[in-house]
Amino acid sequence: MSFLKIKFNTYFYMVAIVAVHHTAPTYAHYTLFGYPLNSPIGISACPLTGTAQKIREVARRGYDVITHKTIRSNFHAAHPSPNMFVVDATAITKNGKNYTFHKKDLRSLSIDTIADCGDDISIINSFGIDSKNSSQTIEDIKESKNALLPGQLLIVSIYGSGKNRQEQIEDFVKTAGLAVAGGADILEANFSCPNVGDDQTFIYQDPALVHDICNAIHQEYSNIPLIVKVGLFEDVESMKAIFHAAYNGGARGICGINTIPVCVVDAIGNPVFGQDRKISGLSGAALFDVALAFVQRAAKIINEENLDLKLFATGGVTCWQQFDQLMAAGADIVQCATGALLNEKLAGDYHDNHTARNHAQRTDLIKRLFHIGAIKLENILLKSGVVSPIYFDMRVTISHPTILKQIAQQLAQLVSCCTFDLICGVPYAALPIATGVAIIGDYPMIMPRKETKSHGTRKLIEGVYQKDMVCAVIEDVATTGSSILETIRVLEEHGLVVRDIFIVVDREQNAVNTMEEHGYHVHALFTITEILQTLLAEHLITHKQFATVKQFCSANQIKA
């Protein structure tokens, strides 16, 4: 086994060379593999997710993507205590290939005492992958699934072992079966745990084995999304090889990084966990810079190689801002483990700050739209022939680029939660908004016309597309839904597939229900109720105006 360089005073590692109660937030709408999700933060496989009771507790703290502690196909005992120490990242000296901690710098602890250590620490652990027997495992997963709140997902981490490659592949499939029987939403193949042997080569370093295990699991359980958990890589080419192997084998996500393998010895050179447990896993604050670099590289590979993989980030998150940092680097989901052990309010802090910030941004945008006349509280004749006491004129935003950018940015958050190949705006009012979303998200865009030109190429759809591509549709205001459905008809006649519709304003006159009855998923940035409530709270409309508009919408429901 060879090792990477150490960076003193920031983080340290020796790796096999491979480079409070919570209510569902209202600040965004997320989906993961088609599942609705409260938020993109969660907790990775760790001692806090080892039983249904513990999972119930972390779910109510606000962790919405919860990974059950790794399971095996049969009973396996944990390593004996002690199996966890607090370590000081600055109190390390190099001794050959090992990193030496003096005994006085090590502090033995348990799950019950770790919270007393502060927020910015690192730990080493050597639990081993312990597991209950198969029937107990299935029952625990069932109870864990039932312990979740709406908008939360259960990932089950699995590990397989065997005397040879084929036995290991078969054991992974067997273990996956236990997770599926228990009701797992997602499977996570643990290819990178450092606590399963001192001299073994990690699975994630072997592209052929990664592919074969993923393929075997996918063949047996193709209806359950599979992600793989990896460690650090020696170089970018090694990462690419593993990502392609996992993807070609049927995986739909990559999770990284796992705890970093370290060999810690005391002042006289003895491994702190004993001669038979030389390698342990490093986690906590020391990992964050390493995890951030991993996510940046992984996101670039996924994008450049055109791999349809979700990126799960974990490693070193100990404050709520670090969730944002990893998402900004390209992660779709961010999980923590040691941070959750250290700070029971970590997820709550994230939700509190995002709820307040998002509420302020939404309020500001509604007020700006009102002041520029995009929201008018006056009697205006609609396309349907009905006179409405409120009117939304989003076309005016083209003269206010800052406001148009705000709309596009907030709508882009909704759009980013879905999978598609192209976007298009319903002609013509939604085209500037769709263009803004395309620029922000770097999405290819097409433009349908209302009519075919009598000259030029005479195309009804402008832009580059191919049959069976998935197109997300964007509209400014939904009243009846007829314009949206007409645009979708044109797209589908040209061989495109439409699954998701994104609208800036839902007038709540049954358009959403109409479109959903046609089989489409509708995502609204604002409802007319939220807009009215905001304007009333900001003293921009009267209670009488509020009641008049609500009564109008209720009395003018569009029939599907």
Side-chain angles (χ1 to χ4, degrees):
M1 185 178 291
S2 54
F3 303 93
L4 290 177
K5 293 181 179 178
I6 180 171
K7 182 176 181 182
F8 290 98
N9 301 321
T10 303
Y11 56 84
F12 61 96
Y13 49 90
M14 181 182 75
V15 304
I17 290 257
V18 281
V20 171
H21 288 268
H22 162 69
T23 55
T26 58
Y27 51 82
H29 304 280
Y30 297 89
T31 60
L32 179 62
F33 301 132
Y35 294 108
L37 196 59
N38 293 330
S39 77
I41 72 165
I43 186 166
S44 54
C46 69
L48 284 180
T49 62
T51 66
Q53 181 180 354
K54 291 178 180 178
I55 284 176
R56 178 182 295 276
E57 292 172 0
V58 297
R60 280 147 186 78
R61 287 198 210 169
Y63 294 103
D64 295 318
V65 185
I66 301 172
T67 303
H68 190 288
K69 190 175 181 294
T70 305
I71 64 169
R72 295 178 184 256
S73 61
N74 295 296
F75 173 80
H76 192 87
H79 291 159
S81 297
N83 48 32
M84 187 161 55
F85 289 105
V86 171
V87 294
D88 180 357
T90 63
I92 184 171
T93 57
K94 190 173 182 181
N95 179 17
K97 290 184 177 180
N98 295 337
Y99 294 106
T100 303
F101 292 89
H102 296 291
K103 199 69 174 178
K104 64 183 179 62
D105 296 319
L106 291 171
R107 175 180 171 185
S108 179
L109 69 159
S110 68
I111 298 303
D112 296 326
T113 61
I114 190 171
D116 300 328
C117 298
D119 293 346
D120 192 27
I121 67 165
S122 301
I123 64 173
I124 52 171
N125 78 82
S126 178
F127 291 104
I129 301 179
D130 57 301
S131 188
K132 304 180 178 80
N133 65 46
S134 58
S135 60
Q136 290 174 323
T137 295
I138 293 173
E139 187 60 31
D140 184 68
I141 294 170
K142 287 181 179 179
E143 293 178 7
S144 298
K145 180 72 177 292
N146 291 333
L148 301 187
L149 300 170
Q152 295 181 331
L153 295 178
L154 181 67
I155 303 173
V156 176
S157 176
I158 61 174
Y159 181 76
S161 58
K163 297 178 182 178
N164 54 54
R165 293 169 72 96
Q166 187 57 38
E167 283 189 8
Q168 188 168 35
I169 292 170
E170 292 173 357
D171 197 45
F172 260 105
V173 175
K174 183 179 179 181
T175 309
L178 302 184
V180 173
D185 297 308
I186 300 167
L187 300 173
E188 178 186 270
N190 186 349
F191 290 163
S192 51
C193 180
N195 293 321
V196 291
D198 290 343
D199 299 317
Q200 79 164 39
T201 298
F202 294 104
I203 296 171
Y204 79 93
Q205 296 171 316
D206 185 335
L209 185 56
V210 166
H211 172 274
D212 291 348
I213 294 174
C214 289
N215 185 61
I217 295 172
H218 180 68
Q219 290 295 320
E220 194 70 25
Y221 304 107
S222 60
N223 59 322
I224 307 294
L226 170 67
I227 65 176
V228 301
K229 191 163 190 178
V230 301
L232 292 177
F233 289 87
E234 181 178 6
D235 51 51
V236 172
E237 293 306 313
S238 298
M239 287 183 73
K240 285 183 182 179
I242 294 299
F243 283 24
H244 276 284
Y247 179 69
N248 293 334
R252 298 178 62 186
I254 298 289
C255 180
I257 55 175
N258 210 329
T259 56
I260 293 177
V262 296
C263 181
V264 182
V265 298
D266 61 22
I268 60 175
N270 295 321
V272 295
F273 291 115
Q275 291 294 339
D276 58 341
R277 291 159 58 195
K278 296 177 182 178
I279 300 297
S280 56
L282 172 69
S283 63
L287 262 66
F288 183 75
D289 288 345
V290 186
L292 181 61
F294 168 85
V295 169
Q296 291 168 338
R297 296 189 191 103
K300 185 177 181 182
I301 290 171
I302 290 171
N303 181 56
E304 291 181 348
E305 301 295 309
N306 197 29
L307 301 175
D308 187 14
L309 292 169
K310 294 294 184 183
L311 181 55
F312 295 67
T314 184
V317 174
T318 56
C319 64
W320 70 265
Q321 294 92 336
Q322 289 174 327
F323 286 112
D324 285 335
Q325 285 180 261
L326 290 172
M327 278 183 265
D332 297 293
I333 302 294
V334 179
Q335 297 178 301
C336 64
T338 303
L341 285 165
L342 298 171
N343 178 7
E344 67 177 16
K345 297 180 180 179
L346 180 57
D349 289 343
Y350 174 86
H351 290 300
D352 290 344
N353 281 278
H354 277 258
T355 301
R357 183 171 61 186
N358 191 262
H359 176 74
Q361 291 172 343
R362 295 172 70 83
T363 297
D364 179 68
L365 179 52
I366 291 171
K367 289 167 61 179
R368 285 172 176 249
L369 290 170
F370 179 81
H371 288 308
I372 66 171
I375 303 173
K376 300 179 185 291
L377 271 293
E378 54 187 78
N379 292 328
I380 293 180
L381 182 67
L382 301 180
K383 178 182 177 181
S384 63
V386 177
V387 176
S388 170
I390 189 169
Y391 185 70
F392 298 93
D393 183 10
M394 293 298 163
R395 292 174 178 83
V396 73
T397 60
I398 62 176
S399 300
H400 301 272
T402 300
I403 297 174
L404 181 59
K405 182 179 179 181
Q406 280 184 275
I407 295 173
Q409 287 174 329
Q410 295 195 28
L411 198 61
Q413 292 181 10
L414 287 181
V415 172
S416 67
C417 300
C418 296
T419 301
F420 52 87
D421 302 303
L422 308 159
I423 67 170
C424 82
V426 175
Y428 289 103
L431 293 180
I433 297 171
T435 302
V437 172
I439 293 171
I440 291 169
D442 195 25
Y443 305 126
M445 179 176 167
I446 56 176
M447 185 181 76
R449 291 181 172 277
K450 287 187 175 181
E451 65 286 319
T452 305
K453 294 194 303 182
S454 60
H455 59 281
T457 60
R458 300 183 181 182
K459 293 180 180 179
L460 197 53
I461 299 178
E462 301 289 351
V464 179
Y465 63 94
Q466 295 177 357
K467 184 181 178 181
D468 295 327
M469 280 187 167
V470 178
C471 184
V473 175
I474 294 176
E475 175 64 303
D476 60 342
V477 182
T479 304
T480 67
S482 60
S483 296
I484 300 171
L485 292 174
E486 175 58 26
T487 297
I488 292 174
R489 182 188 64 78
V490 173
L491 296 173
E492 291 178 340
E493 286 179 352
H494 284 73
L496 292 163
V497 177
V498 176
R499 297 172 183 158
D500 295 280
I501 301 167
F502 301 88
I503 56 179
V504 179
V505 178
D506 171 19
R507 286 181 59 106
E508 296 180 296
Q509 291 180 245
N510 207 43
V512 170
N513 288 336
T514 297
M515 290 180 284
E516 290 185 341
E517 286 180 5
H518 281 77
Y520 306 110
H521 301 292
V522 184
H523 314 264
L525 181 60
F526 296 115
T527 63
I528 200 168
T529 298
E530 181 185 356
I531 290 172
L532 291 172
Q533 289 174 337
T534 300
L535 294 176
L536 184 63
E538 296 294 322
H539 307 292
L540 295 173
I541 63 172
T542 65
H543 286 278
K544 182 178 180 180
Q545 287 175 306
F546 181 97
T548 298
V549 173
K550 289 291 290 180
Q551 183 179 8
F552 169 84
C553 292
S554 178
N556 288 271
Q557 292 291 295
I558 308 301
K559 294 183 179 180

